[in-house]
Amino acid sequence: MSDTKDTGGNSGGRKPLTVSRKSSGTVKQSFSHGRSKQVVVETKKRRAVGPGGSSSAPAKDAPKANDSLEARLIATAKKLGITVDELKARQKALLERKNEVAARAKEEQREKEAQDRLRSEQEKKLQEAKEREEAEARRKAEEEARKAEEAAAKERVDRAAKTRSKPSAPADSPAAAAPAVDDGPARGGGKRKSKDDRDRSARETPSRSSRGGGGERRRGKLTISSALGDDADRQRSLASLRRARERERERRTGGGEQREKVSVEVTLPETITLQDLAQRMNERVADVVKFMIQQGEMLRGNDIIDADTAELIAEEFGHTVKRVAESDVEIGLEGEDDDPKDLKPRPPIVTIMGHVDHGKTSLLDALRKTDVVSGEAGGITQHIGAYQVKLKSGERITFLDTPGHAAFTAMRARGATATDIAILVVAADDSVMPQTIESINHAKAAGVPIIVAVNKTDLPDSNADKVLTDLLQHDVQVESMGGETQAVKVSALTGQGLDELTDAITLQAELLELKANPSRDADGVVIESQLDKGRGPVATVLVKRGTLERGDIVVAGSQWGKVRALVDERGQQLKGAGPSQPVEVLGLDGAPDPGDSFVVVDTEARAREVTEYRIRSKRQVSGKAGAAARASLDQLLSKLKDGSVETSELPVVVKGDVQGSVEAISQSLDKLSTEEVRARVIHGAVGGISESDVLLARSSNAPIFAFNVRANKQARDLAEKEGVEIRYYSVIYDLIDDVKATLSGMLAPEKRETFIGYAEILEVFNITKVGKVAGCRISEGKVLRGCGVRLLRDDVVIHEGKLKTLKRFKDEVNEVNSGMECGMAFERYDDIRVGDKIECFQVEEIARTLD
Ligand SMILES: Nc1nc2c(ncn2[C@@H]2O[C@H](COP(=O)(O)OP(=O)(O)OP(=O)(O)O)[C@@H](O)[C@H]2O)c(=O)[nH]1
């Protein structure tokens, strides 16, 4: 219907304007009714872009190639029996399918890879989420536990959060970077729509990480939404969690192993704070608090727990426990024993003992004058309880200024043996007297060697030899009598024989090899104390070891303080006081008791710990024992009556207006003494009652008898505080009567037995819950309820005890008379038989008197 006409070389007709590569022709179209139309057909040739670059080149070669291709195609078509067009169509279809299959395979491969990546990513995310949750839980618990450190921790977290908010922070964090990298394929997958894209994607695969990095950077950028959103929270907590995890791991590895390695022995007192416990266990307080929270106990570091709880905690943390009593605070207070090579000779400490009026005080005064330092430094001006004299030979002797064995014994009662040598003063005109004997006994009991000073040898009626022979009876054998005890004849009045006495002391000291280490913290004993108006509490102490220095922290009894000043008996301020040196100590917070030991401690805390414990235990003792601990005659009497106190000695302190009255009282009290009971004057002296008297009385549980003298205000206050009774008298007989009454109370009452009746056992009943009951008839006298009974079998006493029940017709009765029948049962005794006889009696206690 239409012819196509090539117009290539045709210059005539309508020829469309063309630039190149176009071939055009005309096609004649025939329509009905003889109409026709000429249509111009243009064929545009595709431009082949090749290395030659020119479009004309392929145009030149193309016909050749086309010719051979065409020939091959025609041949193949012929072979297959199809047209060339058909063959071409088939080849094209084949090629397309091939390409399609290859593309699909590629796509599938890529999809598979993406899926794998996605899956592993999801797994990774899941794993991370899980770890995050665990770490979060751990962190939360830890946060809770670390309430004590919360402020500090918060600050750290805040600081860390701020740091994390900086853009670079998330990139640093692997946890934050990982999802950004892994998101890459997913995002690529989203764009995987066209082939070109896929190709580009394939080409760009090696540089994906850089894109990922770009994503990461974008993620790292802090936006308001990301800062406020969950994501920011998560990132923050992740970082802190990581640190928390590391800490945990460190603790578990390092700390845990350390705990196992160093399982400490924790010393537990009766109560302890959590903080202290943690310290002693080498654990963190937060861990202990956390453990307690886990146990349901909300406690803080400074809460106090008992030893049982503390033990549980310590064991839970893998430590062993050593329970200690509160009193253990005293352990180690005295310090270590000294190395023998550090010991240096020290002056002897001497106490003068003897009977009243034999010249103890006079001798002390005389000895004080022997001091060669007196001339140089003003001499001994103060009575501070002890003084030290320097002999001509250069040696020193310390004398305790409180004469008498009472003070000596009071000290001993407190465990303080301050004395090395006892000088027994015996008046040559009076010879051995009761207190001489007491002194001997006390010195011997303490194991302190005696030197006999036969005093008053200046008197015409003195008989020194009698003294020495009398002493033999009391087991004191002097050298002149073949013994080992030194004896020196002296006169305190004239000063005769004093040098010999001091020589004897130094000789004895040499024998004793008295040594102490002066280069250590001091300890010693309090020999006197008082509350001085101007200077406050003043204690005279005797240093036993070490050197006491100004500024030292001292614990003396239940008092402590920092040594403010040290004053010697010459009134001179000292920097330090060495062994055997008596010195007044200023700076204590109260007056310690004489006989208390003192010790220098390292810290005020230690001093406080010890004194607080001592005060507490003192209070407990006075709370428990109450009045029993106090020295009151009435209380002593009532205790004697109810039998809660058994004693055979009544110690008393006697203070009188004149020596004569004190002596008279002491002697009268001596006379009251019997073999069973005695009144012992632990201190008898002239003058008003001082605090030191009260302290002495307190330490010996003795009342103070004051004859025509009074106590000063401080002594009264102290007596009231310490519960020491002071009785005032103006008639000696009243005093003696009181003591007599007390001593009578101390006598064991006389027991007098009265027979009241006999009963015969007629029958024995065995009653459940009661035991054996004897059915008896009273054959003689009567039987009283609760009376004493003896069971006689064939007239032999086989049991003695008390009646438990006395019944008549099932009723408990008070008395059953002769001829009547009754039921009787014994206390804690069951072996009763028919035919046995019961002897009934009563015991009367009759109080005895000294008369
Ligand atoms: N003749 C003489 N009299 C002396 C001597 N020593 C002491 N006296 C006197 O004896 C009396 C008692 O002396 P003190 O020193 O008070 O005796 P004491 O042993 O301390 O007495 P108490 O403190 O009561 O225990 C005093 O009057 C002294 O003067 C001495 O050697 N010769």
Side-chain angles (χ1 to χ4, degrees), residues 518-829:
S519 323
R520 55 165 291 155
D521 283 342
D523 61 38
V525 60
V526 176
I527 52 174
E528 224 176 62
S529 71
Q530 57 175 12
L531 287 163
D532 191 285
K533 252 187 194 167
R535 302 187 296 168
V538 180
T540 303
V541 302
L542 202 54
V543 179
K544 284 171 83 180
R545 300 189 296 183
T547 302
L548 181 63
E549 287 170 356
R550 240 185 295 173
D552 277 347
I553 299 161
V554 168
V555 172
S558 49
Q559 313 293 345
W560 76 276
K562 203 168 185 176
V563 177
R564 204 172 63 225
L566 295 169
V567 184
D568 70 3
E569 64 272 27
R570 292 169 182 84
Q572 286 177 331
Q573 296 254 356
L574 304 178
K575 275 189 182 162
S580 297
Q581 189 163 3
V583 70
E584 272 188 331
V585 176
L586 275 70
L588 292 176
D589 59 359
D593 293 339
D596 277 346
S597 61
F598 84 87
V599 65
V600 170
V601 294
D602 291 337
T603 58
E604 293 191 3
R606 178 90 167 108
R608 243 182 244 118
E609 187 185 33
V610 174
T611 49
E612 275 168 14
Y613 158 70
R614 287 181 178 172
I615 290 167
R616 252 196 326 274
S617 51
K618 236 185 186 179
R619 216 177 289 145
Q620 270 170 13
V621 167
S622 62
K624 270 186 212 154
R630 304 192 168 176
S632 146
L633 265 192
D634 290 339
Q635 279 156 353
L636 178 65
L637 263 179
S638 63
K639 293 276 164 193
L640 284 166
K641 274 180 191 152
D642 69 21
S644 61
V645 165
E646 271 182 43
T647 180
S648 60
E649 191 176 84
L650 174 68
V652 292
V653 171
V654 177
K655 295 296 296 259
D657 52 349
V658 287
Q659 189 60 45
S661 52
V662 176
E663 197 184 327
I665 292 163
S666 301
Q667 282 174 358
S668 306
L669 293 181
D670 267 352
K671 278 181 204 152
L672 284 178
S673 302
T674 67
E675 276 187 3
E676 286 179 76
V677 290
R678 64 175 185 156
R680 186 166 67 90
V681 179
I682 59 162
H683 184 55
V686 175
I689 296 159
S690 67
E691 279 170 287
S692 126
D693 294 328
V694 177
L695 286 170
L696 184 62
R698 166 74 185 84
S699 63
S700 322
N701 274 341
I704 298 173
F705 291 148
F707 185 75
N708 284 338
V709 289
R710 293 288 175 267
N712 62 28
K713 172 99 173 66
Q714 290 95 327
R716 261 203 320 275
D717 291 347
L718 188 66
E720 201 169 305
K721 191 178 126 214
E722 295 286 348
V724 172
E725 186 184 26
I726 303 174
R727 288 196 171 204
Y728 298 99
Y729 299 93
S730 50
V731 178
I732 289 189
Y733 297 110
D734 293 344
L735 191 156
I736 304 298
D737 281 349
D738 273 359
V739 176
K740 201 189 274 181
T742 313
L743 290 180
S744 300
M746 284 157 65
L747 283 172
E750 198 179 305
K751 285 185 179 174
R752 199 175 291 162
E753 188 187 306
T754 345
F755 166 79
I756 52 170
Y758 275 126
E760 271 167 28
I761 300 177
L762 305 174
E763 226 174 310
V764 175
F765 306 99
N766 212 340
I767 298 168
T768 29
K769 290 186 184 171
V770 179
K772 281 186 179 169
V773 176
C776 316
R777 183 188 296 123
I778 311 300
S779 54
E780 202 181 323
K782 60 183 176 182
V783 179
L784 297 173
R785 190 178 176 184
C787 67
V789 282
R790 284 190 194 96
L791 188 69
L792 310 175
R793 196 169 291 162
D794 302 327
D795 289 330
V796 177
V797 179
I798 57 163
H799 169 70
E800 185 174 328
K802 265 185 127 185
L803 203 58
K804 185 169 76 178
T805 47
L806 179 62
K807 286 192 172 182
R808 265 188 66 78
F809 308 113
K810 292 188 177 175
D811 291 327
E812 194 70 35
V813 289
N814 288 330
E815 192 179 318
V816 181
N817 286 312
S818 175
M820 295 166 99
E821 286 184 359
C822 62
M824 289 161 80
F826 295 171
E827 258 182 15
R828 292 187 292 274
Y829 192 77

Side-chain angles (χ1 to χ4, degrees), residues 355-363 403 455-459 490-494 659 684:
H355 192 70
V356 178
D357 254 2
H358 277 199
K360 300 183 288 290
T361 314
S362 305
L363 190 61
N455 193 28
K456 304 194 186 181
T457 46
D458 58 298
L459 288 175
V490 295
S491 167
L493 208 67
T494 64
Q659 189 60 45

Side-chain angles (χ1 to χ4, degrees), residues 176-198:
V181 174
D182 297 333
D183 267 1
R187 283 158 11 108
K191 285 188 175 182
R192 208 185 301 130
K193 280 173 186 168
S194 68
K195 188 174 181 294
D196 282 356
D197 277 346
R198 282 203 300 276

